Amino acid sequence: MSHPLLRVGDLHAGYGRAEVLHGIELDAPEGSVITVIGPNGAGKSTLLNALMGILPARGKIEFMGQPIDEFTLEERVMLGLALVPEKRELFGTMPVEDNLVLGAFRQVRLRNARWREQLDAVYELFPRLKERRTQQAGTLSGGERQMLAVGRALMSRPKLLMLDEPSLGLAPLVVQEIFRTVSALRATGVTILLVEQNARAALEVADHGYVLEMGSVSLQGPARELAGDARVIDTYLGAARTAAAVA
Ligand SMILES: Nc1ncnc2c1ncn2[C@@H]1O[C@H](COP(=O)(O)OP(=O)(O)OP(=O)(O)O)[C@@H](O)[C@H]1O
Ligand SMILES: [Mg+2]
């Protein structure tokens, strides 16, 4: 078998002297959707920020077989990593299209015309963004802002797209749309690392899942098996199960 696209080994990260991640092991095979679920404060965002190079980390991070733990954020973007951060960090007073284009330029400084092609690809994936290309980003709905954040990350043509809680704060129908987008993206060959508190939806769309608790992986396996695991059901799928039982 070929290398996984991303291989993480014994990864430690934290803030100052407070260690938050205590030796994470995680693989993302090419073309797969991997999800990391876990409670508030488990270290999910810390993990994505460490992988992206926003936060210093110690341990092994390999991308396409190459160690990248010494690489800067910009070098990682060049190689094909992209992150949609939990705080979407859009330019609220700028039009949608400027957010997309600037997103690409800010991180990658594309010198050729590929960005225009990529802009068309993003508009194809999110026709709503095309309709609203001249609207100020700050006036978009929650779901549209999320699409814009994903679209902006896609402007760098990533091989690995990391999504930090894309369903956060969105209505159920919009959440469905976001998860449909994840499936559509996977069909284009992008590998996806999805951090979610919506464990049910995440395990439905993912191939493989990791449960992160207090900075360590407490459980991992094929998503379908995790969704049937008694501990996962009790802790992460319990509310939905109760609702189903009541219905
Ligand atoms: N900038 C920071 N400085 C100090 N501690 C931080 C910082 N950011 C996060 N932490 C701490 O690190 C731990 C993990 O936080 P993290 O944001 O990674 O959790 P999370 O799993 O993403 O949670 P959530 O589901 O609420 O987003 C928490 O205890 C948090 O308080
Ligand atoms: Mg988080």
Side-chain angles (χ1 to χ4, degrees), residues 82-131:
L83 169 66
V84 178
E86 195 173 290
K87 301 188 179 95
R88 309 301 176 214
E89 291 164 16
L90 300 171
F91 303 106
T93 58
M94 287 187 180
V96 164
E97 186 154 300
D98 289 8
N99 268 273
L100 290 171
V101 174
L102 269 174
F105 276 93
R106 188 176 58 142
Q107 296 185 315
V108 188
R109 298 198 200 110
L110 290 176
R111 287 179 190 84
N112 55 34
R114 295 292 288 278
W115 64 267
R116 198 167 276 284
E117 252 170 56
Q118 193 58 13
L119 187 63
D120 289 340
V122 168
Y123 281 151
E124 200 170 312
L125 189 65
F126 300 116
R128 192 112 48 99
L129 292 184
K130 188 170 185 180
E131 285 164 22

Side-chain angles (χ1 to χ4, degrees), residues 216-239:
S216 298
V217 173
S218 58
L219 207 58
Q220 62 139 318
R224 197 172 298 192
E225 281 176 26
L226 277 187
D229 182 281
R231 275 185 292 169
V232 173
I233 291 172
D234 282 347
T235 314
Y236 300 104
L237 308 176

Side-chain angles (χ1 to χ4, degrees), residues 15 20 38-46 86 165 197:
Y15 306 91
V20 170
N40 290 122
K44 303 182 299 297
S45 298
T46 302
E86 195 173 290
E165 305 217 21
Q197 284 205 41

